[in-house]
Amino acid sequence: MTDTVAYLDAHRERNLEELFDFLRIPSVSAKSDHDAETARAANWLADRMREAGLGAEVLPTDGHPVVLGEWREAGPDAPTILIYGHYDVQPAEPLELWSSPAFEPEIRDGRVYARGSADDKGQLYMHVKAIQALLETTGSLPANVVVVAEGEEEVGSPNLVPFVERMRDRLAADVVVISDSAMFAPGQPSLLFSLRGLAYVEVHVSAAKGDLHSGAYGGAVPNPATELARMLTTLHDAAGRIAIPGFYDDVVEWSEETRSAIRALDFDEEEFRAGVGSPGLHGEAGYSTLERLWIRPTCEVNGLLSGWTGEGAKTVLPAKAMAKVSFRLVPDQSPARVAELMEAHLREVAPPWVRVEVKELHGGNPWKADPSGPLFEAASVALEEAFGRAPVIVGEGGSIPIVGDFERILGCPALLVGFALPGCNMHAPDEWFTVENYERGTTSLCRLYGELAERLGSAG
Ligand code: BES
Ligand code: ZN
C-alpha cells in the first residue's frame, strides 16, 4: 500500500486534470439534444479505463450506453467486485445561479465546482484511479473487478434492469460497491444502511376545451387549478402523515436498534435548518429530522403548472392544470403499488366535473443493508485507515434505483460508500466535491478492494 499511496500522491495533479476533462463533457441524460455529448462521455470514460488497465467496452442499450470495464486476472477462484456508478448528470439549469459555469470546473476553497463533481463523475472516477494506482504499483488487483458505468441513472435507469438481466453471467460478483452518496459530515466517513425508493407520477386535471375569459365563464365552469390544488391538499393529514388509504400497509417499522443508532449521531438540527435556509422544519409527527429523511416515506409535489404565470395579470380560466408528484419509499413499499394507490385516491377525491389523468413516470425500489456482516467490517478498516476515523452508519433519503435490482438479479449484496458532503448541491447550482475527499477517498478505495477480497475469500 505504501507504493500505491505514493503513486497516488505523485499523480494528484493528473488525476484532478482528468476529472476536469470528464466534468467538461455535458452528459445530461435527460436532454436528447445532448445525446452526442453523453455518448462522448461514455467513450471518454472507456478510454480512461483502458489506460488504467481495464478491458473496456461501450455497450449499447435502448437508451444511453453502458461502459463496462473488466479485469479478471485474479482468476476464476478469486472473488469478484462489481463497481457501479453513473457518467450522466442532471441538467445544470438554472444556469444564471451558478457562480462559475456548470461545465467549466473550477477549484475554490478546496472544492471542485461543476455539475457532476459529486453526483457522480467525481466518485465514479475515483474507482478508475484507484484501480489504475493498484495495477501500476502492484501489477494486479486483489480481486477480479467489473465496472458498470451507466448513462441513465438521472432519468431513472430505464434500460439498466434489462441490461443486468441480459448480462447476468458476465456481471456475476460477490459484492457491488457504489460511491454515489455522501458522508455524514466533513472528515467523517460513512456507510449507508438504507436508500429510499421512488415512485413518480404526473397528474393532469382538465375541464373546458380551451382557456376561457375568467369573467365571462368563471364561477360556472370548473377551474382545474383550484381542483388540482384541492386534490393535492388531501395527500397529507394535519400530522404530516400521508393520507392515501393503504399507503403505509407495506411500511416496515425499523428496529429500535436502528432508531437509537440514528439518535446517537451528532446531528445539529438548527444548523441543518439554517443550512437549507427555511424559517422552520416540518414533517411527520413522532419522528426526528433524520428519521423523516432516512426511514420514513414521503410525498412531495415537485412541480405545478397551470394558467397564467407570466408578468402582470391575465384574467384567464385555465383549461388544464398539471402536478408532478413523487414519493420516497421505504422497505417494503413498491413503486408500482404506490402509484396504483395514488391513482385510486385521486379518482376518489376528484370532483365529477373535471377529467383526471395519472401518468406513471419512473420508479425505484427502496434498499436496506445488513451492517453486521463482512462488507461493513472491510469498509470500516479501509475507511478508518484513510480518514483516521471509523465510519458511522447512516441512512440516505435519496434513491439509486438499481441497487435493489442488483441484489435481486445478481444475488450479491451492495456496499454503499460515498464521499460527497452535506450541502454539496447535487442536482442544484454550484454542485461541488472536495479535492480532499477525491484524493483520500481514492486511497481508501485501494484499501477497500483488498479488505473485501480478503473477507470474501475464494467464493468465486
Ligand atoms: N446520487 C444520487 C442519489 C443520492 C442523492 C445520494 C442524495 C445521496 C444523496 C442519485 O444520482 C440520484 O440523484 N438519484 C435520483 C434517482 C432518480 C432520478 C430516479 C434521486 O434520488 O432523485
Ligand atoms: Zn443524482
Side-chain angles (χ1 to χ4, degrees), residues 16-268:
L16 257 178
E17 272 165 22
E18 288 177 6
L19 173 61
F20 274 39
D21 288 342
F22 197 12
L23 294 171
R24 283 189 191 102
I25 309 173
S27 47
V28 180
S29 51
K31 293 183 167 183
S32 54
D33 61 346
H34 280 52
D35 283 359
E37 297 293 345
T38 306
R40 191 155 71 86
N43 290 315
W44 182 94
L45 182 60
D47 286 343
R48 298 292 86 68
M49 282 186 186
R50 286 180 203 113
E51 278 170 18
L54 293 160
E57 287 174 66
V58 177
L59 299 171
T61 71
D62 285 346
H64 299 298
V66 170
V67 184
L68 185 71
E70 286 171 293
W71 188 90
R72 298 196 181 269
E73 288 169 42
D77 294 331
T80 301
I81 299 173
L82 178 66
I83 295 161
Y84 163 83
H86 60 97
Y87 66 82
D88 65 321
V89 299
Q90 285 276 328
E93 284 79 4
L95 301 180
E96 66 279 10
L97 296 186
W98 286 77
S99 310
S100 51
F103 296 104
E104 293 172 29
E106 199 178 286
I107 297 183
R108 299 193 297 274
D109 299 329
R111 297 167 168 185
V112 178
Y113 282 87
R115 171 57 85 233
S117 55
D119 182 11
D120 174 43
K121 284 174 170 170
Q123 303 201 57
L124 168 62
Y125 204 57
M126 287 162 66
H127 284 275
V128 178
K129 293 292 100 179
I131 289 165
Q132 179 177 38
L134 285 168
L135 285 174
E136 296 270 330
T137 55
T138 69
S140 72
L141 299 176
N144 296 308
V145 169
V146 180
V147 184
V148 169
E150 77 154 315
E152 300 190 312
E153 197 275 347
E154 299 293 9
V155 290
S157 304
N159 295 293
L160 197 57
V161 168
F163 177 88
V164 176
E165 274 167 350
R166 215 164 51 235
M167 302 284 285
R168 175 190 309 227
D169 293 340
R170 198 156 157 198
L171 301 182
D174 299 281
V175 60
V176 188
V177 178
I178 301 170
S179 302
D180 187 22
S181 54
M183 309 204 311
F184 185 65
Q188 176 57 69
S190 310
L191 295 167
L192 291 197
F193 68 73
S194 70
L195 283 167
R196 289 195 291 194
L198 186 69
Y200 204 124
V201 300
E202 217 174 80
V203 185
H204 295 259
V205 174
S206 61
K209 64 178 190 284
D211 286 357
L212 299 168
H213 189 291
S214 68
Y217 293 91
V221 176
N223 185 319
T226 308
E227 300 300 357
L228 175 59
R230 205 198 305 279
M231 288 159 67
L232 294 176
T233 64
T234 68
L235 294 173
H236 293 89
D237 68 15
R241 272 176 73 86
I242 293 151
I244 298 173
F247 183 83
Y248 289 95
D249 286 359
D250 299 325
V251 172
V252 181
E253 284 295 325
W254 291 71
S255 64
E256 191 39 49
E257 196 183 342
T258 304
R259 293 189 71 177
S260 64
I262 295 173
R263 274 195 296 273
L265 289 166
D266 179 19
F267 179 70
D268 184 335

Side-chain angles (χ1 to χ4, degrees), residues 194-198 291-298 328-331 364-367 396-400:
S194 70
L195 283 167
R196 289 195 291 194
L198 186 69
E291 288 176 333
R292 288 168 178 172
L293 293 172
W294 295 347
I295 64 170
R296 297 301 294 168
T298 64
R328 293 289 168 171
L329 312 179
V330 300
N365 287 307
W367 169 82
E396 170 53 57
S399 311
I400 307 174

Side-chain angles (χ1 to χ4, degrees), residues 320-383:
K320 55 189 185 179
M322 188 271 278
K324 304 223 180 211
V325 182
S326 68
F327 299 84
R328 293 289 168 171
L329 312 179
V330 300
D332 290 323
Q333 291 180 295
S334 99
R337 176 84 184 125
V338 165
E340 226 170 76
L341 292 171
M342 168 72 161
E343 173 154 12
H345 172 77
L346 291 174
R347 299 217 173 278
E348 186 65 35
V349 298
W353 44 84
V354 295
R355 259 172 252 109
V356 175
E357 197 197 339
V358 181
K359 284 190 202 160
E360 207 176 315
L361 303 185
H362 51 226
N365 287 307
W367 169 82
K368 191 175 171 181
D370 171 13
S372 64
L375 303 183
F376 275 64
E377 199 183 281
S380 297
V381 172
L383 290 168

